[in-house]
Amino acid sequence: MIQMRELRKDFTVRVKAGRLRREKRTVSAVDGIDLTIEPGEMVGYIGPNGAGKSTTLKMLTGVLSPSSGEVSVFGLTPVPQRTRLALRIGVVFGQRSQLWWDLPLGESFRLLRHIYRVPAAEHEARLRRCRGLLDLDAFLDTPVRQLSLGQRMRGELTAALLHGPRVLFLDEPTIGLDVVSKQAVRSFLAELGASGDVTLVLTTHDLADIERLCDRLVVIDHGRVVHDGTIEALHARYGSRRSLVVELDEPLPPGFTLPGASVTGVEADGHRVTFALDGSSSGAAVAALVAVASVRDLSVVEPDIEDVVARLYQAG
Amino acid sequence: MDRIGASVLTISPGRPFRASLTTFGALVWSGFRRYATYRQATIAGSFTNIVFGFLRCYVLLAVAAGAVGNRPAGYDVEQLATYVWVGQGLLAVTGMWGWAELADRIRTGDIASDLLRPVPPVVSYLAADLGRALHGVLTRFLGPVLVGLLFFPLVTPQRWQTVPLFVLSVLLAVVGCFGCRFLINATAYWLQDARGPQMLWTLGSGVLAGLYFPLRLLPEWLTVTLWVATPLPGLLQTPLDVLVERDPPALQAGLVALQAIWAVLLIWLATVVQRRAERKLVVQGG
Ligand SMILES: Nc1ncnc2c1ncn2[C@@H]1O[C@H](COP(=O)(O)OP(=O)(O)OP(=O)(O)O)[C@@H](O)[C@H]1O
Ligand SMILES: [Mg+2]
């Protein structure tokens, strides 16, 4: 569905060198990316600021020519076959609007129907669904320039989907949204992905989007892929483990060990202890613990993706 | 309930021409609608055009009074008044000045949104501009013409073909003017900022299109050169000359044909420039 081979993009920038002299310098925004994305995959494409995510998405959607390497989407080469590709992909660049600033949202949608030549019935069905799931009805008649950021983003998503694209490129679609809007957008995308015939490439700085939506995580840094796999694989690679936090009536006896777990923290004079679980089920550890100590409260904490990703970014 | 992504896209393959026409029509309508939202700007613009209409008209009539036989450059008083007032109306129809939308979108990178659509940018901008012009005809054109009719003696066309030829000439002026403005704006692909070329255009187009004075006042060799070698007289002077019946019918038809050649040439040039630009384009912004 999507293929990138040795994909690179270099920007030439002029930097000040001395009073009048300006030097040309080359920035490798994307520095040799190899990726294959299969139909139906939901891929989280993340990386620190300036990693080259937006640049990659621009090349995939045909608005920026690669410096070298190959890229194909649906077997089409994005830049030369841009107009054909445009009929089959849906794109949202979170920071810019693809709607018509002066037109009411509903009218923008009608115009898009004609631009993409979508049959009226299909258009109606898709629009009805988006209106329901994204709660658009309250502002369909409002000019786009008067919409709030969150309202506009919901409009942008709808606009990207009205022609029924099979591949979606979303660059920070949840940027600036409140909790409720974020959840609406996420569950909307999740439902879209659940059908299995939409391929999604999603860029975001909100890792909860990824956890909720993506089964594959591609992390890039300085224009190169530094991780490609599931979220679990990332945790395994960095040895992040689930932990068990227990509150005790009495501190544990000295020298106490729990099979399959190790103590990583002791707080409140030994009344709160944190164990890291080495793969063993939390049930076994809890059973072993209540056998020897009186447990007031306990919780199992999943490994924090933010921590892992932060470690990954810092390593780069 | 059907799934959003599930149905395959259908592009009415049987009637590509009709479908293209519908798309074009929808884009024209969107251009119209976008300008229709700014009523106050429309009123303010009309007012300005009317004020300047009085100034220009009195100046030209004063010149006429001093000219040999009251006919400077072969125009009589009624023709001159018509030239001024219809010209003031046409100014907003062709939209000669103040269009920087494309340049702004290139500078900010919003041009990406235009490129993500399955319609070539020259086509979608042309369609939107025709919509804008249509809005101009219905709003900005009528004001100055009515005021002119009220306060000055205007020409009534004598030949049957004058009005249809005028309509055609105005349409070609709109297309030609769009071509020029597109090319000026497109310099932003290379310069990042089209303000320099815009300034040059604003200064040059007013004089060379015949806005400040009818170009026929210039020596004949210069008039002919301007007409043939530049598209500018075709943006204002030609439609006005057609309407006031300044020349014999054959010459008028010839001038409109010249406009048509320039319009085609400019649109072709815009397409070439756009294609060039896309190859080297750097879409700005993350
Ligand atoms: N038009 C440009 N000219 C010069 N350098 C650019 C240009 N666009 C991007 N870059 C550089 O390329 C690198 C990658 O930028 P890109 O926008 O792809 O980052 P990103 O991963 O999307 O970051 P963010 O998370 O902040 O959106 C950055 O170092 C940036 O400075
Ligand atoms: Mg970005």
Side-chain angles (χ1 to χ4, degrees), chain B:
Chain B
M1 221 199 273
D2 81 320
R3 288 176 313 210
I4 284 171
S7 42
V8 186
L9 182 74
T10 33
I11 319 169
S12 32
R15 296 165 306 184
F17 179 71
R18 228 181 107 185
S20 304
L21 219 58
T22 315
T23 305
F24 197 78
L27 286 165
V28 171
W29 176 239
S30 79
F32 184 93
R33 285 274 304 154
R34 285 176 53 195
Y35 278 83
T37 37
Y38 295 106
R39 287 207 197 114
Q40 275 147 358
T42 305
I43 292 168
S46 300
F47 181 73
T48 313
N49 283 0
I50 289 168
V51 170
F52 275 89
F54 275 108
L55 286 176
R56 283 184 57 212
C57 203
Y58 284 127
V59 168
L60 270 183
L61 292 184
V63 170
V68 202
N70 266 4
R71 287 178 74 91
Y75 298 96
D76 64 26
V77 168
E78 290 179 12
Q79 282 175 319
L80 278 182
T82 311
Y83 189 97
V84 169
W85 286 106
V86 176
Q88 287 302 102
L90 275 189
L91 213 52
V93 174
T94 53
M96 189 112 76
W97 296 325
W99 188 71
E101 187 188 353
L102 177 66
D104 286 342
R105 287 175 76 83
I106 295 166
R107 190 170 48 77
T108 56
D110 283 347
I111 187 74
S113 308
D114 300 323
L115 297 176
L116 289 169
R117 304 240 160 82
V119 180
V122 176
V123 175
S124 54
Y125 277 99
L126 173 63
D129 200 61
L130 290 178
R132 183 202 54 72
L134 190 65
H135 177 257
V137 168
L138 297 182
T139 57
R140 303 277 302 270
F141 181 70
L142 291 180
V145 173
L146 286 178
V147 170
L149 267 175
L150 227 62
F151 290 93
F152 297 88
L154 297 191
V155 165
T156 323
Q158 300 300 314
R159 307 175 193 144
W160 65 267
Q161 70 273 45
T162 295
V163 171
L165 200 63
F166 173 68
V167 172
L168 176 64
S169 180
V170 168
L171 179 67
L172 290 171
V174 170
V175 175
C177 187
F178 165 78
C180 291
R181 286 181 280 121
F182 190 98
L183 288 169
I184 298 286
N185 273 257
T187 55
Y189 281 122
W190 285 270
L191 306 176
Q192 291 307 322
D193 187 342
R195 263 178 294 185
Q198 290 273 21
M199 189 95 84
L200 216 62
W201 164 255
T202 309
L203 290 176
S205 60
V207 178
L208 299 181
L211 175 69
Y212 298 140
F213 55 88
L215 295 174
R216 302 298 181 96
L217 287 170
L218 298 171
E220 191 174 337
W221 64 268
L222 187 54
T223 337
V224 173
T225 313
L226 280 178
W227 237 283
V228 177
T230 79
L232 293 167
L235 306 187
L236 194 70
Q237 172 103 39
T238 304
L240 293 176
D241 277 352
V242 166
L243 186 68
V244 303
E245 298 173 336
R246 165 71 173 68
D247 304 297
L251 183 54
Q252 297 218 312
L255 288 177
V256 174
L258 197 58
Q259 266 188 304
I261 293 170
W262 268 111
V264 170
L265 198 69
L266 284 164
I267 296 299
W268 173 77
L269 211 62
T271 320
V272 171
V273 166
Q274 175 67 25
R275 214 176 307 138
R276 273 282 168 84
E278 282 170 19
R279 247 180 279 150
K280 61 139 303 247
L281 171 67
V282 170
V283 171
Q284 304 293 334

Side-chain angles (χ1 to χ4, degrees), chain A residues 48-55 57-58 93 95 171-172 203 205, chain B residues 285-286:
Chain A
N49 290 137
K53 305 178 294 294
S54 299
T55 306
L57 256 54
K58 285 178 194 168
F93 283 114
Q95 295 86 333
D171 192 352
E172 305 193 36
T203 286
H205 289 296

Side-chain angles (χ1 to χ4, degrees), chain A residues 29-232:
Chain A
V30 172
D31 193 9
I33 287 191
D34 283 285
L35 270 184
T36 303
I37 296 171
E38 302 296 338
E41 272 193 296
M42 308 274 280
V43 179
Y45 195 66
I46 67 168
N49 290 137
K53 305 178 294 294
S54 299
T55 306
T56 316
L57 256 54
K58 285 178 194 168
M59 289 192 281
L60 285 170
T61 52
V63 298
L64 188 66
S65 334
S67 302
S68 70
E70 282 165 36
V71 55
S72 86
V73 180
F74 284 107
L76 300 171
T77 313
V79 173
Q81 294 173 300
R82 195 190 69 235
T83 27
R84 277 177 66 194
L85 184 66
L87 284 168
R88 306 170 73 172
I89 60 173
V91 187
V92 172
F93 283 114
Q95 295 86 333
R96 50 175 113 256
S97 179
Q98 295 184 61
L99 301 164
W100 287 264
W101 204 236
D102 303 317
L103 293 184
L105 193 58
E107 201 144 329
S108 293
F109 294 154
R110 256 195 302 285
L111 183 54
L112 284 169
R113 173 171 104 69
H114 290 296
I115 289 179
Y116 287 91
R117 299 182 195 167
V118 184
E122 261 174 60
H123 174 83
E124 270 313 309
R126 291 192 193 116
L127 183 57
R128 198 175 324 121
R129 205 164 140 63
C130 289
R131 269 166 43 194
L133 285 169
L134 291 172
D135 239 347
L136 303 177
D137 285 335
F139 46 88
L140 268 182
D141 296 325
T142 313
V144 171
R145 68 188 130 87
Q146 291 169 11
L147 294 180
S148 81
L149 178 61
Q151 292 170 335
R152 203 200 81 216
M153 280 319 287
R154 285 183 267 166
E156 301 273 353
L157 266 176
T158 307
L161 289 167
L162 284 175
H163 55 290
R166 297 305 195 80
V167 174
L168 284 181
F169 296 104
L170 308 181
D171 192 352
E172 305 193 36
T174 54
I175 189 170
L177 299 194
D178 69 23
V179 186
V180 177
S181 302
K182 255 186 201 175
Q183 273 169 359
V185 167
R186 276 181 205 143
S187 50
F188 178 74
L189 291 174
E191 197 162 325
L192 209 63
S195 66
D197 43 25
V198 171
T199 310
L200 172 72
V201 179
L202 171 72
T203 286
T204 179
H205 289 296
D206 187 339
L207 296 167
D209 292 343
I210 305 279
E211 278 186 306
R212 172 78 203 276
L213 293 170
C214 301
D215 24 57
R216 181 173 169 195
L217 185 64
V218 175
V219 186
I220 64 163
D221 197 4
H222 299 295
R224 291 167 198 266
V225 176
V226 294
H227 174 85
D228 180 3
T230 58
I231 294 176
E232 288 72 38

